Amino acid sequence: MTTQDQGQEPDDTSAISRFTFSEDWAAVVVGLAILLLALAGIITEDWLIL
Amino acid sequence: MTHAAERATDPGSSSLGQGSLQDGSRLDLRWAIGGVAVVLAGGALTRYLTENVPVWSQGTALENLGGAVEFPVYAIIIGLVLNAVLSALGVRGRLAGGFRTEFFIKTGLVLLGGTVVLSVIVRAAGPAIVQALALITGVFFFTWWVAGKLGVDDHLRALLASAVSICGVSAAIAAAGAVKAKKEHLAYTATLVIVFALPSIFLLPWLANLLGLSDAVAGAWIGGNIDTTAAVSAAGALAGEDALQIASIVKLTQNALIGVVAGALTAWFAVKVERDANAPRLRAVDFWRRFPKFVLGFIAASVIVTVAAEFLDAGTLDSLDTTIKGFRDYFLILAFVSIGLEFEARSLREAGARPVAVFGLATVFNLVLGLLLATVLFGSFEV
């Protein structure tokens, strides 16, 4: 760490934890939505145009 | 996830326009969308090269190489090149809000669950849990001990030990919240994870092949050793489809134990390290809050497809499998491009050599113990 960092009060990183784990639910929703749409035959691999 | 840590330490990020992330850092939505566009462009180039390089190299001296290089290699290299270009232009820090490695990899892993038959998860869960408990305990305390011998700060020790023993940046973030580490420690640990993970992606599949390991043992070794989940998927993909499945199950088992380790760290730091008599008591909801929910998505996807397979004809099932794998690989590609884009060497120079030595020694210990456990626990496993 730099000299500047020494002596600083520890920053609270728990907010970063909360944000990171909120992405979990987004991934679950998107992943399962794609799976169910594929299962219903609505989307196929051809949708991956990019 | 290093972007979260990076934004927290990037002086330029605090003055960015409107909008606020839940981590407290400021974000300009236009730059974030630009960041996502960069990742998508990198992903498109990766897919283009993956499809065309084998064709272009046919009949040349590079035919074997061109046919052997797979999408994780292109994606990470493209991410690193884009990283260098955007850094030179001075815009990478602002665009970092769109480099959502964790979202991309977790979505890819939920979809991966849709390609793994439930019976494989059930059969692999036992040895995976035993391996995870032995590896996490052994590697955590070895790293804690080595870091103490080298005089590393207690908070950084906790982050390094969690990162190398559980699942890289995710574990470091959970541990950072548990022990109230500095954001600089988190950014530094996240960088170390990526520095060690990048060569491991290529080294471990190569070593597994050299040692003649079975797909299951190779997958368990890769899943138990490489710290970050995205890199495990990349190495597993290079080692083969069966190895990828086992590597993912082993890694997800370790991921699932984040909450337990973070809870234990919170209690340990309050009672033993900082001796804080006023520290709040841990509640069951704290463990649930830290539990990685995408593990549930992975299992749910496997259950859905396993049940659906009972009712679908072979042609429909093949088509479904192709679609799911296509989307899975697409999200994995976006995650690998993001890994390259997030790589940050600056904080390594700031922290000095001792934590690097700790991480290096812990990684070697992890490799040896992991190989031993994978061989014993997965030696007779059939995917």
Side-chain angles (χ1 to χ4, degrees):
Chain A
M1 297 290 105
T2 62
T3 313
Q4 271 186 320
D5 297 330
Q6 293 172 3
Q8 285 180 344
E9 288 296 314
D11 292 316
D12 184 3
T13 40
S14 56
I16 295 178
S17 291
R18 281 198 296 277
F19 174 65
T20 300
F21 292 119
S22 74
E23 288 191 294
D24 269 4
W25 283 121
V28 171
V29 170
V30 173
L32 291 182
I34 291 171
L35 183 70
L36 292 172
L37 288 171
L39 197 56
I42 296 171
I43 60 172
T44 65
E45 200 185 14
D46 297 337
W47 281 51
L48 292 169
I49 53 171
L50 276 180
Chain B
M1 243 171 336
T2 49
H3 53 268
E6 183 185 323
R7 276 196 305 274
T9 55
D10 179 1
S13 64
S14 60
S15 60
L16 297 175
Q18 327 72 30
S20 177
L21 291 173
Q22 292 172 51
D23 65 2
S25 61
R26 306 289 294 175
L27 174 85
D28 187 315
L29 194 60
R30 288 165 298 179
W31 281 101
I33 292 170
V36 172
V38 169
V39 176
L40 291 175
L45 182 57
T46 299
R47 285 162 54 83
Y48 181 73
L49 291 177
T50 306
E51 285 177 17
N52 289 293
V53 167
V55 179
W56 295 337
S57 61
Q58 272 179 5
T60 72
L62 297 173
E63 182 172 346
N64 288 339
L65 182 65
V69 178
E70 297 187 51
F71 67 83
V73 180
Y74 292 121
I76 291 167
I77 291 173
I78 288 168
L80 288 170
V81 171
L82 288 171
N83 181 329
V85 172
L86 296 174
S87 296
L89 294 172
V91 295
R92 190 178 67 93
R94 293 181 181 187
L95 292 166
F99 306 157
R100 309 233 64 91
T101 304
E102 289 299 307
F103 170 72
F104 295 137
I105 192 67
K106 288 170 180 174
T107 306
L109 287 170
V110 170
L111 288 165
L112 174 63
T115 64
V116 182
V117 180
L118 187 61
S119 64
V120 173
I121 297 178
V122 171
R123 284 190 296 116
I129 290 170
V130 172
Q131 175 173 311
L133 289 173
L135 262 185
I136 289 173
T137 308
V139 177
F140 185 94
F141 285 108
F142 177 83
T143 312
W144 179 265
W145 174 74
V146 170
K149 288 286 179 191
L150 293 179
V152 175
D153 168 86
D154 279 348
H155 295 94
L156 185 53
R157 282 170 84 186
L159 263 62
L160 291 172
S162 301
V164 79
S165 65
I166 311 172
C167 56
V169 184
S170 300
I173 285 181
V179 305
K180 295 186 171 62
K182 288 181 179 180
K183 288 174 181 172
E184 291 82 358
H185 286 163
L186 180 54
Y188 172 62
T189 305
T191 304
L192 260 183
V193 166
I194 294 179
V195 165
F196 276 81
L198 284 177
S200 303
I201 290 170
F202 309 105
L203 196 61
L204 262 66
W206 176 72
L207 277 175
N209 186 43
L210 202 67
L211 295 170
L213 303 182
S214 68
D215 286 343
V217 173
W221 192 40
I222 288 167
N225 270 282
I226 299 181
D227 297 322
T228 190
T229 311
V232 166
S233 303
L238 292 177
E241 184 68 28
D242 290 345
L244 172 63
Q245 290 187 12
I246 297 299
S248 302
I249 292 169
V250 166
K251 198 67 200 171
L252 262 56
T253 306
Q254 290 192 354
N255 271 286
L257 293 170
I258 288 177
V260 175
V261 176
L265 270 176
T266 304
W268 188 24
F269 261 69
V271 176
K272 292 288 184 186
V273 180
E274 295 177 334
R275 300 180 187 281
D276 180 3
N278 298 317
R281 291 176 63 87
L282 276 176
R283 299 160 301 165
V285 71
D286 293 324
F287 292 96
W288 166 247
R289 189 167 57 78
R290 292 187 171 114
F291 183 83
K293 314 300 183 299
F294 75 97
V295 174
L296 301 178
F298 176 87
I299 296 169
S302 176
V303 170
I304 289 169
V305 173
T306 303
V307 171
E310 297 296 318
F311 303 97
L312 298 175
D313 60 70
T316 310
L317 201 55
D318 280 348
S319 172
L320 176 67
D321 192 54
T322 303
T323 301
I324 295 172
K325 283 180 177 170
F327 277 90
R328 175 198 72 183
D329 290 350
Y330 185 66
F331 278 97
L332 294 182
I333 285 171
L334 299 184
F336 303 153
V337 172
S338 295
I339 286 183
L341 279 163
E342 286 186 317
F343 179 71
E344 171 66 75
R346 182 183 58 191
S347 56
L348 279 184
R349 289 193 293 274
E350 292 174 348
R354 282 182 299 176
V356 179
V358 170
F359 215 92
L361 288 168
T363 300
V364 172
F365 181 80
N366 198 355
L367 275 172
V368 175
L369 182 60
L371 180 58
L372 184 69
L373 288 167
T375 305
V376 171
L377 294 167
F378 287 88
S380 59
F381 192 91
E382 295 288 334
V383 181

